């Protein structure tokens, strides 16, 4: 009985070994060996492609004016409307100026009195000089009168300063916009009492045109950007919406910050946009693309035509006999769906679908129909 059991185990062991040694068992099917592969093609072209630095930016106004009161008083009028576009010099807020006008009037009266006192002292000085020339008065009297004139001149200057100061206080009661821009929400109402030491703004005006966008670039990219800035070359910056799909505006790089942020290894950059359509809004987050260079006469193909096997990249070149040949390529700059490659020539016809069925030297049939979404971007192993 034990002999029979041992024979059964031996026979089973031999069958297992034969099954494992058969190379046709459990082997993956060879793709493309079943016949002609139907696919779509594209043609490699020669053209220019941009080298970009992509970053997230923040829309930052050139000027933002938070206007506070410089005097104490009661607000009598609010001229602006919420969201109004105002020009430089347009009235915004009126503060009761009557106390300051009264003080100004007193200072003007004091100035007029002291100016007349000075005029009288100068007339006396002229008489004393004539009298001293005729030896009618001692020299000391003439000297005293000259110093008296100088004292009166100083008094007049003090009065002029007081008048100018009081005039400024009156002017502070009439608040105008220091820039052209958009006024925010209303912050005060007529009847409110404001203080010169207060920190709450009476109005906030933000310039919308032009507008700037601040973004960061890696410190490793400084070598690409700085030579253009030293040559005063205009580098184009394109702003896209938060999703990176819709272009909002196009501007130019203005300048770089004066130091690198050591915590992030990046440096801030400021770009300027004319923003004529007001598409860029203050503090808005945008995606930016900085064009730092343009490669000319590059071989361009859709990125979907490039397949990867580990670290290597390749394409399928279709010859005149409708046979696919695997060709190694080196990918370069990518701009959207377009990639610059080396290893093929402009004019080469490349496979752009059915990669799950293709292999080297597969027979192919070119279809004009768009490829199914499930096979158009598959990578061959």
């Amino acid at each position: 009985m034990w002999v029979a059991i041992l024979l059964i185990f031996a026979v089973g062991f031999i069958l297992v070994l034969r099954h494992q040694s058969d190379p046709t068992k459990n082997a993956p099917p060879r793709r493309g060996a079943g016949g002609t592969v139907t696919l779509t093609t594209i043609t490699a072209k020669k053209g220019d492609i941009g080298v970009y630095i992509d970053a997230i930016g923040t829309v930052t106004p050139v000027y933002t004016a938070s206007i506070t009161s410089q005097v104490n008083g009661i607000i009598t009028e609010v001229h602006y409307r919420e969201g109004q576009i105002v020009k430089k010099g347009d009235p915004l807020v009126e503060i009761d100026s009557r106390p300051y006008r009264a003080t100004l009037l007193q200072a003007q009266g004091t100035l007029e009195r002291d100016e007349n006192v000075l005029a009288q002292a100068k007339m006396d000085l002229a008489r004393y000089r004539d009298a001293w020339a005729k030896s009618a008065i001692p020299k000391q009297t003439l000297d005293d009168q000259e110093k008296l004139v100088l004292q009166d001149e100083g008094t007049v200057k003090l009065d002029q300063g007081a008048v100018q100061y009081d005039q400024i206080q009156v002017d502070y009661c009439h608040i105008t916009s220091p820039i052209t821009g958009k006024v925010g929400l209303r912050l005060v109402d007529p009847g409110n009492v404001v203080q010169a030491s207060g920190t709450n703004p009476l109005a906030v005006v933000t310039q919308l045109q032009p507008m700037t966008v601040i973004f960061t670039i890696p410190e490793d990219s400084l070598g690409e950007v700085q030579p253009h800035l030293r040559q005063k070359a205009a580098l184009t910056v394109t702003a896209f919406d938060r999703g990176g799909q819709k272009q909002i505006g196009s501007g130019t790089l203005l300048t770089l910050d004066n130091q690198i942020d050591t915590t992030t290894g990046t440096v801030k950059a400021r770009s300027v946009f004319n923003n004529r359509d007001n598409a860029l809004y203050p503090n808005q987050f945008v995606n930016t693309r900085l064009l730092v260079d343009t490669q000319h006469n590059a071989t361009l193909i859709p990125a979907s035509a490039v397949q990867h096997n580990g670290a290597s990249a390749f394409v399928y070149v279709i010859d005149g006999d409708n046979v696919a040949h695997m060709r190694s390529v080196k990918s370069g700059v990518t701009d959207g769906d377009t990639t610059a490659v080396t290893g093929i020539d402009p004019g080469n016809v490349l496979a752009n679908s059915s990669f799950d069925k293709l292999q080297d030297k597969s027979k192919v049939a070119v279809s004009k129909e768009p490829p199914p979404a499930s096979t158009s971007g598959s990578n061959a192993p």
Side-chain angles (χ1 to χ4, degrees), residues 318-332:
I318 311 300
D319 64 12
D321 296 331
N322 286 341
V323 176
H325 298 278
M326 185 183 296
R327 186 83 58 84
S328 295
V329 295
K330 183 177 181 181
S331 298

Side-chain angles (χ1 to χ4, degrees), residues 67-365:
I67 302 168
T68 57
S69 177
Q70 302 297 307
V71 294
N72 302 329
I74 299 175
I75 294 177
T76 57
E77 291 184 77
V78 177
H79 296 291
Y80 67 87
R81 301 186 309 274
E82 294 179 317
Q84 178 184 352
I85 301 297
V86 296
K87 296 181 180 180
K88 182 178 181 179
D90 285 352
L92 298 177
V93 176
E94 296 288 344
I95 298 175
D96 188 3
S97 61
R98 290 175 297 176
Y100 301 102
R101 290 202 304 270
T103 304
L104 173 62
L105 187 60
Q106 293 175 355
Q108 290 172 339
T110 302
L111 174 61
E112 290 180 5
R113 181 197 63 192
D114 291 339
E115 285 177 338
N116 289 315
V117 171
L118 174 61
Q120 182 180 1
K122 287 182 176 180
M123 287 189 299
D124 292 341
L125 177 61
R127 297 190 188 100
Y128 288 165
R129 283 174 177 168
D130 292 339
W132 181 76
K134 298 177 182 180
S135 301
I137 59 172
K139 183 67 167 55
Q140 180 180 358
T141 303
L142 176 62
D143 294 340
D144 290 343
Q145 188 62 31
E146 288 178 345
K147 299 304 180 185
L148 183 62
V149 169
L150 294 177
Q151 293 176 22
D152 291 340
E153 287 178 346
T155 302
V156 169
K157 288 184 179 180
L158 288 174
D159 294 341
Q160 290 173 341
V163 169
Q164 291 180 8
Y165 178 81
D166 290 335
Q167 182 62 59
I168 291 173
Q169 302 306 300
V170 173
D171 294 340
Y172 278 152
C173 295
H174 177 66
I175 299 175
T176 61
S177 178
I179 60 175
T180 297
K182 184 176 182 179
V183 184
L185 300 180
R186 190 172 63 187
L187 303 176
V188 292
D189 296 305
N192 292 162
V193 177
V194 294
Q195 303 291 330
S197 59
T199 58
N200 295 328
L202 306 181
V204 178
V205 183
T206 301
Q207 179 176 303
L208 299 180
Q209 298 173 354
M211 186 68 75
T212 68
V213 173
I214 294 179
F215 58 95
T216 58
I217 63 174
E219 58 179 314
D220 295 337
S221 300
L222 286 176
E224 302 176 73
V225 177
Q226 283 187 307
H228 296 284
L229 291 178
R230 285 194 291 266
Q231 297 170 7
K232 301 186 183 302
L235 294 181
T236 301
V237 179
T238 307
F240 295 86
D241 62 3
R242 182 187 292 266
Q245 302 298 320
K246 181 182 178 182
Q247 179 176 332
I248 302 177
S250 180
T252 57
L253 181 65
L254 186 62
T255 187
L256 297 177
D257 200 0
N258 59 357
Q259 59 184 348
I260 295 173
D261 188 343
T262 57
T263 60
T264 61
T266 60
V267 60
K268 290 182 179 179
R270 184 188 291 271
S271 55
V272 61
F273 297 73
N274 56 43
N275 200 34
R276 292 192 180 94
D277 57 356
N278 291 332
L280 293 172
Y281 210 76
N283 295 336
Q284 177 184 7
F285 287 100
V286 295
N287 289 284
T288 62
R289 301 194 76 196
L290 171 62
L291 177 62
V292 295
D293 195 10
T294 301
Q295 294 183 0
H296 301 284
N297 299 323
T299 302
L300 307 179
I301 63 174
S304 58
V306 181
Q307 303 301 295
H308 297 276
N309 185 6
S312 61
F314 61 92
V315 296
Y316 288 103
V317 180
I318 311 300
D319 64 12
D321 296 331
N322 286 341
V323 176
H325 298 278
M326 185 183 296
R327 186 83 58 84
S328 295
V329 295
K330 183 177 181 181
S331 298
V333 177
T334 297
D335 181 11
D337 296 331
T338 303
T339 299
V341 296
T342 56
I344 60 173
D345 298 321
N348 287 157
V349 178
L350 310 178
N352 197 31
S353 67
S354 303
F355 296 110
D356 56 337
K357 302 175 183 178
L358 272 178
Q359 67 175 10
D360 191 28
K361 298 182 181 179
S362 293
K363 190 70 175 177
V364 301

Side-chain angles (χ1 to χ4, degrees), residues 15-65:
L15 292 175
V16 170
L17 289 178
R18 291 182 62 186
H19 181 75
Q20 292 178 346
S21 63
D22 188 351
T24 63
K25 301 293 184 180
N26 299 324
R30 295 183 63 191
R31 296 178 297 178
T36 302
V37 179
T38 303
L39 47 74
T40 58
T41 61
I42 58 92
T43 302
K45 299 179 180 179
K46 178 185 290 187
D48 300 338
I49 188 169
V51 180
Y52 293 92
I53 298 176
D54 296 331
I56 297 177
T58 304
V59 179
T60 307
V62 178
Y63 298 112
T64 298

